[in-house]
Amino acid sequence: MLFKKNQLPSATAIIVAAGSGTRMGSNVNKQFIMIDNMPVLAHTLLNFQNAKTIESIIIVTKPESILTVSDLAREFGITKVAHIVPGGATRQESVSCGLALSENGRLVAIHDGARPFVSPEKIDELVLAAEKYGSSAPGVVPKDTVKSVTASSNVLETIDRNSLRLIQTPQVFHADELKLAFLRAAESGFEGTDDCSVAEFAGFQVHIVDGEYTNIKVTTPEDLPVAEAIYNFLKK
């Protein structure tokens, strides 16, 4: 599907920023850890602010962080923020909290707040792909050799890397279809590791777009020096 200039599809971004610092080994929410004197979440939000296809942003965070996130959005000029809402006990529940505020019939882009380096251009590409194929998610080919092993850790087979993708976010869907998928998952007690797995469980097909190796998730302490290096690489 081709779009004329000024006729790009639009999407609502749901930024999931309700995680804790458990794996980071810190009492500080990982979204507020600083990279070049700017919180991780601010880097993330600025990329969605600058994406042409993103019309509004819903931020899902911990109840005690709502005021902090509101101040952060104001400080860094994130004018697309429409709602800041409390999340749930799991990521899946938190996404559902954001989905409840999204309109049926439009696209939603679900993104991890701790992925600060997705480019505005990649966001736009994913929204365009979801408009064409019904859904989209970014994925990169593993750089390492991948092997399947037995329960006793013996090699079963070497898997062709070209048939594999490491899946990132944002993952883009039609809001009404993703709401249906989450409803089916909740009714069945299914807990997915990402939004794609919930959609797949409900019978929806997901189209994969080439991702960005720089689009890392800041989760553990060793991710911080890598994130700093990526930031310095991207700003050149």
Side-chain angles (χ1 to χ4, degrees):
M1 182 179 296
L2 297 176
F3 292 92
K4 296 179 181 179
K5 191 175 182 180
N6 300 324
Q7 288 187 328
L8 289 174
S10 63
T12 295
I14 298 176
I15 308 299
V16 185
S20 65
T22 303
R23 282 184 288 177
M24 188 60 71
S26 169
N27 293 325
V28 178
N29 187 327
K30 59 189 175 184
Q31 322 291 338
F32 304 132
I33 290 174
M34 307 296 279
I35 297 176
D36 194 51
N37 296 315
M38 184 185 296
V40 165
L41 183 58
H43 286 278
T44 301
L45 292 173
L46 282 169
N47 288 325
F48 281 83
Q49 176 75 20
N50 293 328
K52 296 176 181 177
T53 57
I54 298 300
E55 185 173 79
S56 62
I57 300 172
I58 298 170
I59 306 172
V60 185
T61 190
K62 299 171 75 172
E64 62 269 27
S65 299
I66 288 177
L67 184 58
T68 302
V69 171
S70 178
D71 290 341
L72 181 151
R74 190 178 305 109
E75 178 183 354
F76 292 97
I78 313 299
T79 60
K80 292 182 180 180
V81 173
H83 303 282
I84 303 173
V85 298
T90 65
R91 184 187 186 281
Q92 198 160 304
E93 289 179 9
S94 293
V95 173
S96 292
C97 292
L99 271 176
L101 294 171
S102 63
E103 299 177 23
N104 286 343
R106 66 179 294 117
L107 296 169
V108 288
I110 318 295
H111 187 68
D112 298 320
R115 287 187 185 272
F117 302 126
V118 62
S119 68
E121 294 78 16
K122 184 57 63 176
I123 296 168
D124 290 336
E125 182 183 353
L126 287 158
V127 172
L128 284 164
E131 179 72 11
K132 179 177 180 179
Y133 298 104
S135 65
S136 69
V140 294
V141 177
K143 293 184 178 181
D144 297 322
T145 297
V146 181
K147 295 183 183 292
S148 172
V149 299
T150 65
S152 55
S153 296
N154 293 321
V155 173
L156 188 62
E157 64 174 321
T158 300
I159 302 173
D160 180 9
R161 285 178 297 189
N162 292 321
S163 68
L164 300 175
R165 295 295 183 274
L166 305 178
I167 301 302
Q168 306 167 330
T169 67
Q171 299 173 6
V172 190
F173 308 86
H174 288 279
D176 47 352
E177 292 183 353
L178 191 59
K179 287 178 183 179
L180 177 60
F182 270 70
L183 178 61
R184 289 178 179 171
E187 290 174 344
S188 302
F190 175 79
E191 193 74 26
T193 55
D194 67 353
D195 309 296
C196 286
S197 58
V198 176
E200 293 158 20
F201 172 81
F204 295 106
Q205 192 170 57
V206 180
H207 180 78
I208 302 301
V209 171
D210 287 340
E212 299 168 309
Y213 285 104
T214 51
N215 183 15
I216 69 165
K217 187 176 182 182
V218 180
T219 304
T220 58
E222 57 266 28
D223 294 330
L224 291 175
V226 176
E228 291 281 358
I230 290 173
Y231 173 80
N232 290 323
F233 170 77
L234 292 175
K235 75 176 184 179
K236 289 181 181 179

